């Protein structure tokens, strides 16, 4: 009498925040330290002769649909990137979107993800209409179609080739794709789409994994680029199982202070291009616009000689970004002086103040010190140490730095100015913006190529930099 093997099920517990798996339930995730995030996850496992906990999978060989070919005979035209019409997004993606690629765009609520993708959808629809390609399909699960229409009118993102659908069910979404045959699919967001064939609510581990797998399969079979919006956790990580980041082709982070206009787009993972490019956007009342030259947001409009300011050039990936550092040293009425920072690394500012006190005898222990950047920029790399120190000295001695001066270099605890990366690119950007004097580290300065219009001042110690920037100090 033949016996029928009943597939066994294996129960595990997955963290809804980071995707960590545990064989038993725990109150706290051992990976991300979140409380109450482990949910039961049941998956079938085929029983085999490998003993308990082991499974054996056998499959009969099948004739492949396409025979293997020499790599030289494989056409690369199908994988060429197509511009989206948004230059800063194309910069980050490596030239545009690749047919069949799945891009995950993550960011905090209110940072402008939906606004950016709606602008991308309208411009891609206009370009697709001119080339005679299919329309662009925008599927929203966060808002109603009417709400998206109102935002599209506000930012000027209305095009006859842009199709809009409000769906939260995977089957209906795939039906829209089959009927419209789009050249670009945008889903906002993947955590709001659910499948009736999978247990659990929308946004759960099993649902996100199933929806992502279905959309990736459609993208590869139909050669449709897909842009997915993803939520982030309270710690800034992408919500959902960690396998989601491994399944997609590109993972981008959309960052920015909600109280500032600047938005930065970074590629965390990119199978088709670099991961060290940064896109800059300006988010205003009438939508979002790419910033090919964001220097106007980070430098003061008035170039008059004011104590407590020093310009520097940071590197966001491979992109040089000008930043103005401002410092204020004021007397304190309280018993303990304040150390307030904005846009800079608080610990590095504290070390710079300690070095100034120990090596240059600039005592700020009885004064409040405020250090900030202009325009909400972030200057946290070690190369900004020299500009921070010069701004503090300028504020403490009430001596302004020359208006055409820029400085960059890491300051060690002994007061030496250490070499930093990308000095040549920083100098080129400083020259483009009109700076005519640059204080750079002495180490590695001999290998620098001269930049027209910029007088280079190499220094080895912080005292030399102060003497070059504040000759009257």
């Amino acid at each position: 009498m033949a016996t029928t093997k009943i597939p066994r099920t294996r129960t595990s517990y997955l963290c809804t925040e980071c995707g960590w798996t545990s064989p038993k339930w725990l109150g706290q995730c051992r990976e991300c330290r979140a409380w109450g995030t482990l949910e039961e996850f049941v998956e079938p496992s085929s029983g085999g002769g490998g003993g308990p906990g082991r499974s054996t999978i056998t499959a009969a060989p099948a004739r492949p649909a396409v025979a293997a070919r020499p790599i030289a005979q494989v056409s690369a035209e199908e994988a060429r990137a197509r511009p989206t019409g948004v230059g800063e997004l194309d910069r980050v993606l490596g030239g545009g979107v690749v047919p069949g690629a799945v891009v995950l765009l993550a960011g905090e609520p209110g940072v402008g993800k939906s606004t950016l993708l709606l602008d991308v959808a309208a411009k891609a629809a206009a370009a697709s209409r001119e080339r005679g390609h299919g329309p662009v399909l925008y599927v929203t699960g966060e808002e109603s179609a009417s709400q998206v229409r109102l935002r599209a009118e506000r930012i000027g993102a209305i095009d006859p080739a842009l199709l809009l659908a409000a769906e939260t069910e995977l089957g209906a979404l795939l039906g829209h794709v089959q009927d419209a045959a789009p050249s670009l699919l945008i889903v906002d967001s993947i955590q709001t789409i659910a499948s009736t064939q999978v247990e659990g609510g929308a946004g759960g581990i099993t649902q996100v994994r199933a929806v992502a797998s279905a959309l990736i399969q459609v993208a590869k079979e139909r050669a449709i680029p897909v842009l997915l919006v993803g939520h982030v956790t309270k710690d800034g990580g992408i919500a959902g199982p960690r396998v989601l980041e491994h399944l997609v082709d590109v993972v981008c982070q959309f960052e920015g202070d909600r109280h500032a206009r600047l938005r930065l787009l970074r590629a965390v993972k990119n199978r088709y291009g670099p991961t060290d490019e940064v896109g800059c956007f300006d988010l205003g009342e009438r939508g979002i616009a790419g910033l090919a030259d964001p220097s106007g947001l980070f430098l003061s409009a008035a170039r008059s000689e004011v104590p407590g300011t020093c310009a520097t050039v940071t590197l966001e990936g491979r992109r040089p970004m000008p930043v103005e550092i401002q410092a204020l040293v004021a007397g304190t009425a309280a018993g303990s002086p304040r150390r307030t920072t904005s846009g800079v690394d608080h610990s590095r500012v504290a070390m710079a103040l300690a070095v100034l006190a120990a090596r240059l005898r600039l005592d700020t222990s009885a004064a409040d010190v405020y250090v900030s950047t202009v325009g909400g920029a972030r200057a946290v790399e070690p190369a900004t140490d020299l500009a921070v120190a010069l701004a503090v000295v300028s504020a403490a001695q009430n001596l302004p730095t020359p208006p055409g001066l820029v400085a960059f270099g890491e300051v060690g605890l002994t007061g030496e100015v250490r070499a930093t990366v990308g000095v040549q690119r920083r100098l080129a950007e400083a020259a483009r913006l009109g700076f005519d004097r640059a204080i750079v580290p002495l180490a590695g300065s001999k290998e620098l190529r001269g930049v027209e219009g910029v007088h280079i001042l190499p220094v080895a110690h912080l005292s030399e930099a102060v003497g070059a920037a504040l000759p009257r100090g």
Side-chain angles (χ1 to χ4, degrees), residues 180-415:
S183 59
L184 174 65
L185 172 63
I186 298 177
V187 180
D188 183 12
S189 66
I190 190 172
Q191 277 86 5
T192 61
I193 307 299
S195 174
T196 56
Q197 301 178 359
V198 180
E199 297 182 355
I205 294 176
T206 55
Q207 286 286 358
V208 170
R209 182 180 298 177
V211 171
S213 300
L215 293 178
I216 291 173
Q217 182 178 359
V218 170
K220 304 303 180 184
E221 291 179 352
R222 296 176 175 263
I224 303 174
V226 178
L227 302 181
L228 306 176
V229 175
H231 295 165
V232 297
T233 63
K234 57 184 179 181
D235 297 328
I238 300 176
R242 185 66 60 181
V243 69
L244 176 62
E245 301 179 43
H246 297 288
L247 288 175
V248 299
D249 301 305
V250 183
V251 179
C252 293
Q253 286 276 4
F254 204 43
E255 307 169 355
D257 187 355
R258 298 185 64 180
H259 304 287
R261 295 168 52 186
L262 176 67
R263 298 293 186 267
L264 296 179
L265 180 65
R266 308 174 189 270
V268 181
K269 168 190 174 182
N270 193 350
R271 291 175 178 168
Y272 309 109
T275 57
D276 54 358
E277 285 286 3
V278 176
C280 296
F281 296 88
D282 183 14
L283 183 63
E285 295 181 357
R286 295 189 175 276
I288 193 166
L291 289 177
D293 183 11
S295 59
L297 295 179
F298 305 141
L299 298 177
S300 296
R303 292 296 183 91
S304 59
E305 297 184 4
V306 179
T309 64
C310 185
T312 185
V313 179
T314 65
L315 283 182
E316 293 286 352
R318 294 187 298 178
R319 186 171 189 170
M321 305 278 285
V323 177
E324 182 174 322
I325 307 293
Q326 295 184 342
L328 176 64
V329 179
T332 180
S336 57
R338 301 182 62 180
R339 302 289 184 262
T340 305
T341 61
S342 175
V344 294
D345 191 343
H346 185 81
S347 60
R348 301 204 70 86
V349 172
M351 288 191 293
L353 296 178
V355 172
L356 290 173
R359 309 303 175 189
L360 272 66
R361 301 187 182 279
L362 180 65
D363 188 11
T364 58
S365 59
D368 294 337
V369 179
Y370 304 86
V371 180
S372 176
T373 58
V374 173
R378 287 182 54 83
V380 296
E381 63 169 332
T384 61
D385 291 348
L386 187 56
V388 170
L390 292 178
V392 172
V393 174
S394 173
Q397 298 183 355
N398 198 29
L399 294 173
T401 59
L405 178 70
V406 65
F408 33 81
E410 180 183 359
V411 177
L413 295 181
T414 60

